[in-house]
Amino acid sequence: MRTEASVDETFTQFARRVEPRLRQALVALYGPVGGVEAAEEALVYGWQHWDRIQAMENPVGYLYRVGRTRGQRLLRRRRDPAFPAVPSTYEPWVEPGLPAALRALSEKQRTAVVLVHSFGWSQAEAAELLGVSKTTVQKHIERAMAKLQAALGVEDED
């Protein structure tokens, strides 16, 4: 017999395990502010519907899609993901043109390249969360990197 306390505990364990990656994926898509809000809303939804969601094959992938839906509302208000501007007096450790170049990518390309190259996810991990094949993630990354290199005036070293 399941009690409300056991349901709360199973969700709490699940949330602790998946929240960092869910947040990172949504930050990659919607920027730091929108991504965190979307992740929080997705987890609230997950808690409210835990009985149904825990039985799913890929519950974190489902919550990622919930977060994307919530994040779309944020984008309607803001237009573009809010990546912080780089101050002109700042000695950059990141190329100052990178936020604008990331905004110019498609959602799928931006998400794949940020998850893999910024957050250190494997292509397989990104593919699982996004609900696509590893090859699809690889193609998104290749296209994104080509666009970023062109936008930032960087030549490929290969």
Side-chain angles (χ1 to χ4, degrees), residues 64-79:
Y64 171 74
R65 288 188 294 282
V66 169
R68 285 189 63 189
T69 301
R70 302 295 201 257
Q72 287 297 320
R73 280 192 245 142
L74 299 169
L75 276 185
R76 284 186 205 116
R77 288 185 263 156
R78 285 195 195 111
R79 301 289 283 158

Side-chain angles (χ1 to χ4, degrees), residues 81 83-88 90-105 110 113-114 144-145 147-154:
F83 291 101
V86 179
S88 60
Y90 178 70
E91 184 65 35
W93 60 273
V94 171
E95 166 62 43
L98 186 58
L102 285 169
R103 278 192 300 273
L105 297 175
R110 182 175 51 249
V113 79
V114 170
M145 292 304 291
K147 288 179 181 179
L148 289 172
Q149 288 171 345
L152 300 172
V154 176

Side-chain angles (χ1 to χ4, degrees), residues 149 153-158:
Q149 288 171 345
V154 176
E155 292 185 29
D156 194 358
E157 294 178 5
D158 291 340

Side-chain angles (χ1 to χ4, degrees), residues 7 10 13 22 25 48 50 57 61-62 64 76 80 88 92 112-113 128 130-131 148 151 155:
V7 170
T10 60
Q13 290 173 358
L22 179 63
Q48 292 170 336
W50 183 238
E57 185 176 319
Y62 182 81
Y64 171 74
R76 284 186 205 116
D80 287 325
S88 60
V113 79
E128 181 181 355
L130 300 173
L148 289 172
E155 292 185 29

Side-chain angles (χ1 to χ4, degrees), residues 19-29 39 114-115 119-121:
E19 185 277 334
R21 289 197 178 264
L22 179 63
R23 178 179 23 85
Q24 289 175 347
L26 292 166
V27 164
L29 190 56
V114 170
L115 289 177
F119 293 129
W121 289 33

